[in-house]
Amino acid sequence: MDAARLLPFAGALLFLLPILRAPASTPEHETAGGMVFLFVVWTVLIGLAAWLSRSLKNSAEEDTSPDESGG
Amino acid sequence: MVGFNLLISVCLMYVALLFLIAFFADRRAAEGKLGWLRSPIVYTLSLSVYCTAWTFYGAVGYAARSGLEFVTIYLGPTLVMIGWWGLVRKLVRIGRVHRITSIADLLSSRYGKSNYLGVLVTLLAVAGTTPYIALQLQSVTLSLSVFAEDTPGGWEQADFRTSALWVAAGLALFTVLFGTRNLDANERHHGVVTAIAFEAIVKLVALLAVGVFIVWGVAGGSAEMFSRIGSSEIAEWSLQPGRWSGLIFLSAAAFLCLPRMFQVLVVESVDERNVATASWAFPLYLMLMSLFVVPIAVTGLDVMPEGANPDLFVLTLPLAFGQESLALLSFLGGFSSATSMVIVAAIALSTMVSNHIVMPLWLQWRKAGASVSGDVRQMVLTARRVSIGAVLLLGYTYYVYSGGGAALAAIGLISFVGVTQVLPAMIGGIFWRRATRWGAAGGVLVGFVIWAYTLFLPSIGGILPETLMQHGPWGIGWLRPQALFGLNRLDPVVHAIVWSMALNISTFCILSLLSFPSPIERLQGAQFVNVFEQSSGPHGYAGGDAGAEELLVMSQRLLGAEQAQDLFQKEASDQGKAGYLPDTSPAFLEKLERELAGSVGAATAHAMIGQITGDTSLSVEDLLAVADETAQIMEYSSQLEAKSTELGRTARQLAEANDKLRDLSVQKDAFLSQISHELRTPMTSIRAFAEILRDMEESDLDEQKRYATIMHTETLRLTRLLDDLLDLSVLENGQVDLNLTNTRLGLILDQAVLATKEATGLIIERDSETEEVSLVTDGDRLAQVFINLIRNTQKYCVAEVPQLRITVRAKSDRVDIDFVDNGEGIPLRSQSLIFEKFSRLADQSRAGGAGLGLAICKEIMASLGGSIIYLPGQGGAGFRVSLPQARRAHAA
């Protein structure tokens, strides 16, 4: 549950990483590499979300009684 | 080349297919066979209305201009969806519990069912969405024009307008047909959602097909593609940190706030669990949608002639390579993107307009209330249909006047920033109970104004004069629209995001803290923030005296006769009543209001019920009254509790008294037989000896003397018995004359012990020192009490060596004289009886008297102002004689 809450923040951090690279530090362009990086991160996030959602879905199904509020 | 007529007929066939799909889905839903209609796949695909024609065509153009930046538009929603557990899940739950019909309804409902807020959000949504609808119309006409290029003379400006008008009209027709078929209490449109899901597949397939063709058909594989990307002019792109992070935030916020996204994400959500699947499936969809964007853009820039519109590469590239059917598919993909967005946006906006603007006006107009004759349902549906038409007309008008020239993506971002102004009020509303309607309205309004001034108006060429843009209003430099407060290095979009959000959030927080939430706001706030904790919260109704019949009449008009009657009948039977008219309890009104809110929105439903119940606003006084009532009830119940305890005590006392009476009655019976026996025995012997004396002729004197002595003794016994009875009677009537003298306790005790001296075997322990107490009392009477007590011990003490201990304790206000023997004592049951007249305990054999001794003692002590009680727990029988101190004090 907490992992599910943290996942978007981890994702945001990873997606914002390219900002920290100084574009001029390397002479050749890195657009293709950047693209690969973003899509790999994206895929990993989707995989994690799928894995988390499966367990959360089960717990949500049992959730007939009220549970903790979303935070 | 695909002929224009062929294109039109393909288009029409596609639209007909959509109609069919929507029709069958609606019919299945009407038959109750939801089945796959509520599957997570359909839900996920319906979310793809996020990907509009802007995405389909514009993303490639965006990539051609700004490289990888286009991807930020997808990263935001990805983050929101993978974080579904914290936010989206809560929104969906709130939407379901409170029957939310739109984002305007969400805010209006949360902030005390305030319709003004609903109107504000509706206007904002219309202003933010209209350019976006225009954008879709533009993209469809642009893509049509691509195919028309070969027709003689190409397209004139008028042709664009005509086709845009036709597209708008067709979409309006579709939306009216499937978006307003019925006034569903849940505001769900299965037909539309299914058609949208189908269009989502078309979009994805079309874009993937073009992408696969470009990478493997044109470039010759992924490796080759990579080297092309590296050498293309796109690679010149460098990342702007401000725009990069700003746009990720913007797209995430817009994903939640766009009216059409709210519609599919929350309102159309059939099953909460679908969100779990969508949390990964929708990001996957977005990723696939953007996978081939860069390759297509790179190839387009390489292949297409200088000056070709990069926004149309998806369409023009296949055409350039002679892939006409692929181009057709691509066209359908773009067409799908545009139509699905327009349809859902029109439904969402029309719901808002009819619920928050038309219905309140109508209610105001018909002061008499919703229970007057006339079909409200038809009225609501008509309002929606007209709203749909108006929304599309507005979009068309915007399209015509904006000239359709601006780059597609630019309008998209401007629209995003506009609708995002709702975000602080929305997030604050569901996580912060203290947020008030003033804060929400203030924040939205300030954000809206900033957005219009810094981004929206400057984007429409010619509205703001050039001098104002350059030097600010009245020459005030720091008020320049794109450099507020001197921040002139920011990109205009980021500039608008930063300032509108900063001022919006601060206004929201400050006004919320400064204002005081109304009672309804408090209730709603608590229910929204704690939606997972409570299935039904406190009620907003203070128990109005509403006519159930009027409510039924009104509900029938809104929900339909059958559904309304079912609802009322069920409630009535739950309340244990027959028929259709339940008591209008606060709980029922609350339930009914939610049911109606599903049709006309929370604020209108609240107002309609309020008109009938006459209970429109819940004031602090009402709440206080409720609280007061509760307090009174609690006090009353505690009083009742006390009373019931007292009653219980009384009942116990009564039961005890009853037991005692029964015992007394038994005793009395026993005594009567005893006393007759007691009186009869001496009488019988007196009579017998008297007869002997009478019949005795000559007998010796000794014999006569003996008989006379026996008769005398028996007479004495009788006399003593009668004396006792008389004594008791006198004492009881308070007629006793006391002979008060100054005496000492020791003397009286000596007298008593001496009087009982004839009895043998009783050892009496005394402490003469403590007995030196002076008393003013009737010494003879007191001695009588002591004698009785000593005689009792002689009679009843069963110990082998009977002992009696007499202890004297002088207390401050009285003197206690305890008589404790070493026998068995008196059983608990009998302790309360021994002082009663005629009482005799089980063992009769030892009894010499008639059981009047202790009763006499009690009466004597009472007349002397003291008391005699049984002293339990002393090992044997114990009696305590108490004399008041006053008597002693006089003596001293």
Side-chain angles (χ1 to χ4, degrees):
Chain A
M1 233 175 264
D2 290 333
R5 285 187 226 279
L6 285 177
L7 191 60
F9 296 100
L13 198 72
L14 287 170
F15 283 146
L16 290 177
L17 270 185
I19 290 179
L20 299 177
R21 285 186 65 91
S25 61
T26 44
E28 73 274 17
H29 302 298
E30 294 177 328
T31 301
M35 200 175 119
V36 170
F37 168 79
L38 281 177
F39 278 90
V40 166
V41 168
W42 209 336
T43 314
V44 168
L45 283 179
I46 291 168
L48 282 175
W51 179 67
L52 280 173
S53 84
R54 220 174 45 186
S55 51
L56 286 176
K57 197 168 159 183
N58 293 336
S59 74
E61 268 169 37
E62 293 158 15
D63 169 32
T64 46
S65 62
D67 71 347
E68 61 166 314
S69 77
Chain B
M1 192 73 200
V2 179
F4 190 67
N5 290 335
L6 175 66
L7 187 73
I8 296 298
S9 46
V10 167
C11 233
L12 287 178
M13 274 163 63
Y14 180 72
V15 171
L17 181 64
L18 287 184
F19 270 80
L20 270 179
I21 291 173
F23 177 72
F24 279 110
D26 255 355
R27 210 173 67 173
R28 269 184 75 94
E31 286 166 2
K33 290 187 278 187
L34 282 172
W36 51 267
L37 289 181
R38 49 186 301 154
S39 77
I41 304 289
V42 170
Y43 179 72
T44 307
L45 288 174
S46 74
L47 291 184
S48 76
V49 286
Y50 180 77
C51 305
T52 63
W54 174 26
T55 303
F56 195 83
Y57 296 123
V60 172
Y62 199 154
R65 291 183 202 100
S66 321
L68 274 181
E69 196 178 282
F70 82 93
V71 89
T72 52
I73 300 305
Y74 304 99
L75 295 183
T78 297
L79 294 177
V80 171
M81 281 315 286
I82 61 173
W84 67 288
W85 187 257
L87 183 59
V88 176
R89 191 175 67 108
K90 191 166 190 178
L91 273 178
V92 170
R93 175 69 69 89
I94 289 174
R96 207 193 54 189
V97 171
H98 292 267
R99 302 292 178 97
I100 300 298
T101 58
S102 66
I103 187 155
D105 192 31
L106 177 86
L107 293 196
S108 139
S109 179
R110 160 63 180 84
Y111 295 106
K113 302 176 186 176
S114 143
N115 197 46
Y116 296 107
L117 195 56
V119 171
L120 184 65
V121 176
T122 303
L123 292 178
L124 176 74
V126 171
T129 311
T130 304
Y132 218 99
I133 292 178
L135 171 65
Q136 308 306 314
L137 295 178
Q138 184 189 20
S139 76
V140 174
T141 49
L142 266 180
S143 61
L144 274 174
S145 75
V146 168
F147 288 90
E149 263 166 8
D150 287 353
T151 51
W155 268 25
E156 299 284 329
Q157 187 69 10
D159 295 327
F160 279 100
R161 290 189 182 176
T162 320
S163 62
L165 187 61
W166 276 109
V167 172
L171 288 174
L173 179 70
F174 182 89
T175 315
V176 165
L177 272 182
F178 292 101
T180 62
R181 287 190 88 192
N182 44 25
L183 194 59
D184 185 12
N186 296 319
E187 200 57 56
R188 285 178 189 139
H189 309 89
H190 294 289
V192 173
V193 169
T194 313
I196 303 265
F198 174 75
E199 290 197 296
I201 299 173
V202 174
K203 280 188 259 189
L204 185 63
V205 168
L207 203 57
L208 287 181
V210 174
V212 167
F213 168 72
I214 295 293
V215 173
W216 282 277
V218 176
S222 49
E224 178 66 17
M225 195 67 238
F226 269 115
S227 66
R228 278 195 186 207
I229 292 172
S231 60
S232 116
E233 55 187 281
I234 286 182
E236 306 286 337
W237 166 78
S238 67
L239 186 145
Q240 294 170 265
R243 263 183 86 85
W244 182 262
S245 46
L247 291 182
I248 290 182
F249 165 78
L250 180 65
S251 62
F255 180 74
L256 291 166
C257 296
L258 283 168
R260 65 171 193 279
M261 286 320 297
F262 193 84
Q263 179 80 22
V264 287
L265 194 66
V266 177
V267 182
E268 304 277 359
S269 162
V270 215
D271 191 335
E272 262 177 58
R273 282 166 296 173
N274 288 350
V275 185
T277 308
S279 75
W280 59 269
F282 185 63
L284 181 66
Y285 184 92
L286 290 177
M287 192 192 79
L288 293 176
M289 282 299 274
S290 46
L291 198 54
F292 292 111
V293 167
V294 172
I296 294 172
V298 167
T299 313
L301 288 175
D302 273 358
V303 176
M304 298 305 285
E306 196 74 17
N309 185 354
D311 283 333
L312 290 174
F313 280 168
V314 182
L315 203 55
T316 49
L317 267 180
L319 280 178
F321 286 100
Q323 298 289 332
E324 297 195 354
S325 44
L326 187 60
L328 203 57
L329 180 64
S330 162
F331 170 79
L332 283 183
F335 186 72
S336 294
S337 314
T339 50
S340 55
M341 181 272 159
V342 175
I343 289 166
V344 179
I347 289 178
L349 287 183
S350 74
T351 308
M352 289 191 207
V353 170
S354 84
N355 283 359
H356 296 282
I357 297 177
V358 180
M359 283 305 288
L361 284 178
W362 182 80
L363 274 178
Q364 201 85 62
W365 178 53
R366 310 187 75 149
K367 271 285 181 196
S371 57
V372 294
S373 61
D375 195 336
V376 180
R377 291 220 295 169
Q378 205 50 49
M379 150 73 207
V380 175
L381 287 180
T382 310
R384 296 226 175 140
R385 286 171 188 154
V386 173
S387 309
I388 289 173
V391 164
L392 282 167
L393 193 65
L394 212 58
Y396 173 73
T397 313
Y398 186 92
Y399 163 72
V400 170
Y401 281 95
S402 68
L408 292 180
I411 300 182
L413 285 180
I414 292 165
S415 175
F416 269 25
V417 181
V419 295
T420 300
Q421 301 310 320
V422 179
L423 187 76
M426 179 168 96
I427 300 294
I430 65 173
F431 287 110
W432 187 32
R433 287 177 63 166
R434 188 63 179 74
T436 71
R437 75 174 78 173
W438 292 109
V444 171
L445 206 59
V446 166
F448 186 62
V449 169
I450 304 278
W451 166 72
Y453 182 65
T454 59
L455 198 61
F456 184 60
L457 294 180
S459 79
I460 310 173
I463 289 204
L464 295 182
E466 193 58 27
T467 49
L468 189 142
M469 294 297 292
Q470 292 299 322
H471 307 291
W474 307 288
I476 304 171
W478 54 269
L479 280 182
R480 269 179 297 159
Q482 298 192 334
L484 275 187
F485 305 107
L487 294 191
N488 52 8
R489 290 191 54 198
L490 286 175
D491 171 84
V493 173
V494 179
H495 173 265
I497 297 173
V498 168
W499 279 119
S500 64
M501 273 296 133
L503 295 176
N504 183 336
I505 293 172
S506 7
T507 313
F508 172 66
C509 293
I510 291 170
L511 283 186
S512 285
L513 291 174
L514 288 182
S515 59
F516 191 75
S518 72
I520 296 188
E521 258 182 287
R522 277 180 187 275
L523 293 178
Q524 291 294 97
Q527 290 198 21
F528 273 54
V529 173
N530 303 325
V531 67
F532 290 111
E533 272 122 47
Q534 55 198 51
S535 44
S536 72
H539 302 298
Y541 286 100
D545 192 19
E549 200 169 348
E550 283 177 68
L551 284 174
L552 179 61
V553 170
M554 182 191 72
S555 313
Q556 282 180 341
R557 297 221 168 85
L558 277 172
L559 304 170
E562 205 175 322
Q563 206 182 339
Q565 283 164 13
D566 282 353
L567 181 75
F568 274 65
Q569 193 177 21
K570 190 177 171 302
E571 183 66 25
S573 73
D574 284 351
Q575 290 181 2
K577 294 177 75 173
Y580 288 98
L581 298 178
D583 284 338
T584 50
S585 61
F588 173 61
L589 289 180
E590 189 86 352
K591 194 160 144 192
L592 183 64
E593 188 185 308
R594 278 192 191 166
E595 207 65 41
L596 295 181
S599 301
V600 292
T604 309
H606 190 66
M608 287 177 99
I609 290 190
Q611 278 192 344
I612 289 180
T613 60
D615 194 19
T616 40
S617 66
L618 185 70
S619 64
V620 184
E621 286 73 28
D622 288 338
L623 275 187
L624 283 179
V626 172
D628 208 30
E629 222 169 84
T630 317
Q632 277 177 9
I633 288 172
M634 278 168 69
E635 194 183 330
Y636 182 60
S637 94
S638 73
Q639 277 176 3
L640 277 182
E641 209 170 298
K643 274 188 185 148
S644 109
T645 319
E646 201 184 314
L647 272 178
R649 208 163 37 231
T650 316
R652 266 198 309 281
Q653 286 170 349
L654 275 176
E656 280 171 18
N658 197 26
D659 285 349
K660 200 166 157 186
L661 280 175
R662 202 168 35 237
D663 287 350
L664 279 175
S665 153
V666 170
Q667 263 191 1
K668 210 149 213 160
D669 289 347
F671 172 73
L672 280 177
S673 70
Q674 176 71 23
I675 199 110
S676 26
H677 177 73
E678 291 283 339
L679 288 171
R680 213 182 139 175
T681 313
M683 286 305 265
T684 311
S685 65
I686 290 170
R687 198 182 66 214
F689 285 107
E691 279 171 4
I692 292 171
L693 280 178
R694 188 191 64 195
D695 298 340
M696 198 181 259
E697 283 168 9
E698 49 185 78
S699 60
D700 64 301
L701 203 64
D702 287 350
E703 198 81 341
Q704 284 184 10
K705 209 174 189 173
R706 199 168 63 85
Y707 292 157
T709 311
I710 293 173
M711 284 168 70
H712 181 247
T713 316
E714 292 300 316
T715 320
L716 279 180
R717 239 174 97 183
L718 271 176
T719 312
R720 200 165 60 236
L721 185 62
L722 292 172
D723 277 349
D724 277 357
L725 281 171
L726 199 64
D727 206 11
L728 191 61
S729 164
V730 166
L731 282 165
E732 274 186 338
N733 291 330
Q735 293 163 346
V736 66
D737 291 321
L738 292 177
N739 179 23
L740 294 180
T741 52
N742 204 339
T743 178
R744 284 188 305 115
L745 187 60
L747 280 181
I748 304 168
L749 279 170
D750 287 345
Q751 191 187 333
V753 170
L754 203 65
T756 55
K757 196 80 176 185
E758 76 269 21
T760 52
L762 181 65
I763 301 162
I764 296 179
E765 290 175 21
R766 293 172 58 187
D767 180 2
S768 53
E769 271 180 37
T770 56
E771 289 167 7
E772 292 303 312
V773 180
S774 295
L775 288 170
V776 178
T777 189
D778 187 330
D780 290 341
R781 287 289 183 188
L782 195 55
Q784 194 185 346
V785 171
F786 294 161
I787 291 165
N788 263 330
L789 287 174
I790 296 169
R791 285 225 173 105
N792 259 358
T793 308
Q794 290 167 345
K795 277 186 233 166
Y796 299 113
C797 186
V798 293
E800 275 181 30
V801 186
Q803 287 181 352
L804 179 68
R805 195 173 68 248
I806 300 173
T807 336
V808 177
R809 280 193 199 87
K811 300 257 173 86
S812 60
D813 57 341
R814 66 174 199 271
V815 186
D816 288 344
I817 307 113
D818 292 352
F819 293 78
V820 179
D821 67 23
N822 61 344
E824 280 179 347
I826 296 171
L828 190 68
R829 188 184 144 76
S830 311
Q831 284 172 12
S832 61
L833 290 174
I834 49 178
F835 293 108
E836 299 300 329
K837 286 177 281 185
F838 318 125
S839 73
R840 266 208 182 142
L841 304 185
D843 187 5
Q844 305 282 336
S845 60
R846 290 160 173 265
L852 292 171
L854 282 173
I856 291 169
C857 288
K858 191 180 154 200
E859 293 303 328
I860 292 171
M861 288 316 296
S863 56
L864 287 177
S867 66
I868 176 167
I869 55 164
Y870 183 74
L871 203 60
Q874 299 300 315
F879 291 90
R880 169 168 292 173
V881 178
S882 297
L883 279 167
Q885 169 79 0
R887 302 272 183 211
R888 200 188 69 155
H890 276 293

